[in-house]
Amino acid sequence: MKPGETIHLGGPVSFLVGENSGRFPRGHGLIIQSRGSVAIIDTGAGQDVLAPWAAQVDLVLNSHSHADHAAGNWLFADRQILVPRNSFADSGDMRRLSLRYMKTDRQAAGWRKLAREEVGMRPQRPSGFFRPNEEIAIGGVRVIALDAPGHTADHTCFYLPEQGLVWSGDIDLSGFGPWYANPESDIDQFRRAVRMLIELDPKIIAPAHNPPLGQNVRQRLSAYLAVIDRRQEALVELLRQPKTWPMIVDAALIYGQAAIAQPLFRYFESQMIGKHLDELLAQGAVVCQEGLFSAV
């Protein structure tokens, strides 16, 4: 796949290939063209990829407010830009987003620098919002905004029922597995969102950071979901011997040792493994005594 290439997915729908093979700090997009209307879902493909569409697109839909999904909204400033209702107040406001996604002012400043310099985000407020499970008409195409939190509180998948296609956003089918490293991210909600897509059983799934898939969709979603349980099992195994919190983070069960040498990835590791630890503590599968965590 080449940046800017469009892959026809059937009828009025095409997959827009992003720069960097769609990997962070870029992402892919989805183009819908019907009865003179043109819409794009997510704008993280890169300025050079998006620029040729700037004069054609009538409607922008963001699956959520992460920078790599909304960075190019500014290219469509005079068009309708719709975002999830529960993030409308924050979308396009880089300071508010940074404070929402990071825990300290210093981390938030680092997030803003990353969003500007690497992701290419510029402030751009949306013109409106869509509600959970709202149906949006794009020409003659029905698009249903499926509420799918877990990755973020506002994460949305878009379902095109007549085409049997889902834009899954950051339910991205990556080998890394589900990402839930923001304070608002929620493991159990993530599980439910993936199970929803498995039950929906689409013919085609188009993720934001991987190529579209038209075969073995349910199997790929199930394998992706299983990564969460493997991480939890690895943590239980680690805690067969009591560990302090810093020792748990140092074990780097999710990102690996090389990655957590970088402060940002160490933060992500602590956020994600911390959510697993909280879940195990709530289940009574792990206990904490005098600062030491151990499996029961």
Side-chain angles (χ1 to χ4, degrees), residues 66-254:
H66 271 166
D68 55 324
H69 295 259
N73 283 4
W74 63 274
L75 290 163
F76 308 95
D78 59 344
R79 310 304 164 98
Q80 189 177 27
I81 302 172
L82 301 183
V83 301
R85 181 179 183 178
N86 62 345
S87 61
F88 177 74
D90 299 331
S91 292
D93 185 323
M94 293 176 67
R95 178 168 179 78
R96 290 183 65 154
L97 287 171
S98 68
L99 294 172
R100 172 179 153 192
Y101 290 139
M102 309 303 283
K103 282 196 165 182
T104 69
D105 288 341
R106 182 176 180 179
Q107 290 170 343
W111 184 94
R112 292 192 295 273
K113 185 175 187 292
L114 176 75
R116 283 193 309 268
E117 297 179 6
E118 295 192 37
V119 188
M121 189 176 191
R122 299 187 190 179
Q124 178 60 54
R125 290 286 296 140
S127 53
F129 57 80
F130 51 82
R131 294 173 174 81
N133 304 312
E134 179 178 340
E135 184 173 311
I136 302 162
I138 301 169
V141 178
R142 296 167 58 219
V143 178
I144 301 171
L146 299 177
D147 193 30
H151 174 70
T152 58
D154 62 338
H155 188 264
T156 302
C157 297
F158 294 99
Y159 178 46
L160 284 63
E162 278 72 37
Q163 288 72 32
L165 183 147
V166 166
W167 173 261
S168 61
D170 271 344
I171 298 177
D172 65 1
L173 303 183
S174 67
F176 176 82
W179 191 96
Y180 33 87
N182 287 142
E184 68 189 49
S185 305
D186 185 284
I187 293 176
D188 197 49
Q189 287 182 343
F190 212 131
R191 289 191 185 102
R192 292 199 297 270
V194 179
R195 288 175 186 144
M196 173 185 67
L197 296 187
I198 293 171
E199 291 176 10
L200 191 64
D201 194 17
K203 295 177 184 176
I204 301 171
I205 189 166
H209 298 290
N210 273 292
L213 182 69
Q215 294 181 328
N216 303 317
V217 172
R218 296 183 78 176
Q219 292 92 325
R220 282 287 299 274
L221 284 165
S222 296
Y224 180 75
L225 178 61
V227 173
I228 296 177
D229 289 339
R230 289 204 300 273
R231 291 168 177 167
Q232 193 118 316
E233 291 161 4
L235 179 56
V236 170
E237 190 61 31
L238 178 72
L239 296 182
R240 298 296 179 196
Q241 298 294 325
K243 299 286 188 297
T244 63
W245 170 241
M247 291 167 70
I248 293 171
V249 177
D250 286 343
L253 295 177
I254 295 175

